[in-house]
Amino acid sequence: MAIKGLHSLPTPSLPAMAPIGTVSTMFILLNFISQAIAVPSELYSPLVPQKLLRTFNSLPKPIQYPQYTDSSRPGKWAFFVPDTWTSAFFPTTLYEMDRRRTLCKTLNASGVDVDWLQLGRSASQGLVSLPGHNTQGHDVGFLSFPFVEELKRNPGNQTAINTVNGFARDLAKRFIPAAGVTRSWDNDNQTVVRVIIDNMMNLDVLFSSAELTGNQTLVQIAKTHADTTIKNHIRADGSTWHVVEYDADTGAVLSKHTAQGFSDDSTWSRGQAWGIYGYAQMYSRTGNPTYLETSRRLATYFLSHIPSDGIVPWDFDAPLKDPKVPGGVRPADSSAATIATNGLLLLGSLDEEDADKWTSAALEILDHITELAWKPEWDSLLSNGTVNWPSNNYLTGTVYGDHYFVKVGNDLLERGLAHC
């Protein structure tokens, strides 16, 4: 079933002098949407800065980073070494809090009087040595996030420049020309190229580095990977496989299956969310309408398969009843929901034809997942994340789910859909 109320918004009356597609028209549409669907107050709760500051002060030394909450200590962060795919999300969230300070035009608008930029810079230091010396495969794109944010504030920061370029080199080295993709996960058999849908979110570091260096080969790698993924990773109905394996010599598809989803033919919701967001980013970078249409297709599938309660499940095809889970109900994935809201908001800012549809859908998903997953007593901002159901890691907080929760709050502020 589609999200309740997704297409039920009445059409606003626009001024006669405002042509369709202009900035003024878009502003009116978005402000109408913000009034029709309430923005969750938890996005701007004083608990957000309080929890983030508490987590920063609890980072181990030598530095480790939060990834998910520990099942043996519910609600408490488990910390991991820097050479972990999720390590950059917490520092990047601190940069997002600095962005919120700028948006709200006061240092302590978020309720805590600290210099978030300095905290972000400090927490990022544990990642600086990773380019060329990590085991994260394609996820170096995620690891580049705080350094990309630093360059928005200080374009001449040579450490950030070197780090972004280093991570881009790492990713570019994984490109397999015959297959037309960058290798996601390493495996013992190098003739098999394993690619996951998540990789779409890592391509942006190639564009960031190309802007710094002028190296257009990086852009071509990103485009080729995105084009190949459209051909082989996306089903006719707009759903996605999690994993596709290619022959490194011929580019032939060897298999399509899942690693974190319910079954090889199911649709893992977080992977679908990465795809929505990744193709929206590709369109914003290139203007190629094929990428916009692909993001639309993935978003349409995502939205049409959310159940009537509005809660994003960990896999759209997993059984509704799950005896393994407390309460016997299919787990949600709050991270899939927050990633999707960011992707949908970006899509709404790019797709003038359906801007109101994507934006209202993002707000409604955000409203439902916040109501379900907001946990004031936890270290994480949200609960009800599913890290990896096949590995029995669910009903957790996730650092990436929290990151995209904070980021979507900032995007709403920036677009006039919420207020400080």
Side-chain angles (χ1 to χ4, degrees):
M1 296 178 64
I3 289 183
K4 174 170 59 70
L6 179 59
H7 303 292
S8 62
L9 294 177
T11 303
S13 298
L14 301 177
M17 295 299 293
I20 296 298
T22 63
V23 173
S24 60
T25 299
M26 185 67 67
F27 180 80
I28 293 168
L29 280 172
L30 294 182
N31 276 279
F32 178 85
I33 292 164
S34 69
Q35 295 168 16
I37 302 176
V39 174
S41 61
E42 290 87 350
L43 281 170
Y44 311 107
S45 166
L47 284 175
V48 173
Q50 290 168 17
K51 287 188 177 189
L52 294 173
L53 182 60
R54 187 162 62 240
T55 297
F56 175 84
N57 289 331
S58 67
L59 295 176
K61 296 180 181 179
I63 196 166
Q64 295 183 29
Y65 296 95
Q67 181 178 176
Y68 50 77
T69 55
D70 193 336
S71 60
S72 65
R73 298 182 307 133
K76 300 298 181 183
W77 284 125
F79 291 91
F80 293 80
V81 297
D83 189 8
T84 303
W85 80 272
T86 54
S87 292
F89 283 106
F90 181 70
T92 312
T93 304
L94 300 176
Y95 275 92
E96 284 294 336
M97 292 304 293
D98 173 66
R99 181 181 166 214
R100 186 165 298 185
R101 175 194 61 80
T102 301
L103 288 166
C104 294
K105 297 181 174 60
T106 177
L107 183 65
N108 63 354
S110 55
V112 174
D113 189 7
V114 298
D115 189 336
W116 295 106
L117 180 57
Q118 290 305 318
L119 296 190
R121 287 170 171 166
S122 175
S124 300
Q125 290 306 301
L127 309 172
V128 170
S129 64
L130 291 179
H133 306 282
N134 66 83
T135 62
Q136 296 314 304
H138 69 119
D139 283 326
V140 291
F142 288 127
L143 294 176
S144 74
F145 282 3
F147 305 100
V148 172
E149 290 301 317
E150 175 62 29
L151 290 175
K152 293 176 183 178
R153 294 153 175 83
N154 182 7
N157 186 312
Q158 196 60 49
T159 297
I161 291 170
N162 293 342
T163 306
V164 169
N165 288 338
F167 282 133
R169 284 193 299 272
D170 286 349
L171 185 57
K173 288 177 182 176
R174 303 181 69 80
F175 183 65
I176 311 298
V181 290
T182 58
R183 188 189 300 270
S184 296
W185 291 335
D186 290 327
N187 48 290
D188 293 336
N189 185 354
Q190 290 296 295
T191 65
V192 175
V193 183
R194 190 170 294 158
V195 178
I196 61 175
I197 190 64
D198 318 36
N199 208 342
M200 287 305 305
M201 281 298 294
N202 286 281
L203 299 179
D204 206 60
V205 69
L206 300 175
F207 289 95
S208 295
S209 184
E211 289 178 341
L212 294 168
T213 64
N215 183 355
Q216 292 304 300
T217 299
L218 299 176
V219 171
Q220 192 56 49
I221 288 173
K223 291 179 179 178
T224 302
H225 181 99
D227 293 345
T228 304
T229 300
I230 290 173
K231 294 176 184 176
N232 298 315
H233 244 101
I234 302 174
R235 303 183 182 106
D237 63 359
S239 63
T240 54
W241 279 280
H242 182 199
V243 185
V244 176
E245 292 185 340
Y246 298 85
D247 185 296
D249 298 319
T250 68
V253 173
L254 302 175
S255 70
K256 298 183 179 185
H257 55 93
T258 194
Q260 290 171 252
F262 175 71
S263 70
D264 290 345
D265 293 323
S266 70
T267 302
W268 178 51
S269 63
R270 191 159 80 239
Q272 191 78 10
W274 291 133
I276 296 167
Y277 203 168
Y279 277 104
Q281 285 187 327
M282 285 297 299
Y283 177 68
S284 71
R285 287 290 197 175
T286 67
N288 183 339
T290 299
Y291 300 144
L292 177 63
E293 180 57 30
T294 301
S295 185
R296 286 170 173 161
R297 287 179 60 208
L298 302 185
T300 298
Y301 180 92
F302 193 102
L303 298 177
S304 65
H305 285 75
I306 296 176
S308 57
D309 62 6
I311 301 299
V312 177
W314 74 275
D315 188 297
F316 288 115
D317 299 294
L320 293 174
K321 300 297 183 181
D322 189 341
K324 292 175 59 178
V325 180
V329 179
R330 175 176 61 184
D333 185 5
S334 54
S335 71
T338 60
I339 293 163
T341 60
N342 281 263
L344 288 165
L345 274 186
L346 178 58
L347 183 57
S349 73
L350 299 169
D351 184 6
E352 292 186 1
E353 182 179 341
D354 287 319
D356 56 341
K357 178 173 73 173
W358 306 127
T359 304
S360 62
L363 289 167
E364 191 152 358
I365 291 171
L366 188 61
D367 182 58
H368 283 296
I369 203 63
T370 302
E371 183 178 2
L372 172 73
W374 179 254
K375 281 287 178 69
E377 69 276 18
W378 281 33
D379 289 347
S380 59
L381 302 178
L382 299 178
S383 63
N384 284 85
T386 297
V387 177
N388 190 327
W389 183 89
S391 296
N392 294 315
N393 193 340
Y394 50 85
L395 297 178
T396 67
T398 61
V399 71
Y400 38 94
D402 282 5
H403 166 70
Y404 287 108
F405 184 75
V406 174
K407 185 179 185 304
V408 78
N410 287 347
D411 289 348
L412 291 168
L413 291 173
E414 191 167 73
R415 295 173 194 180
L417 294 169
H419 304 283
C420 297

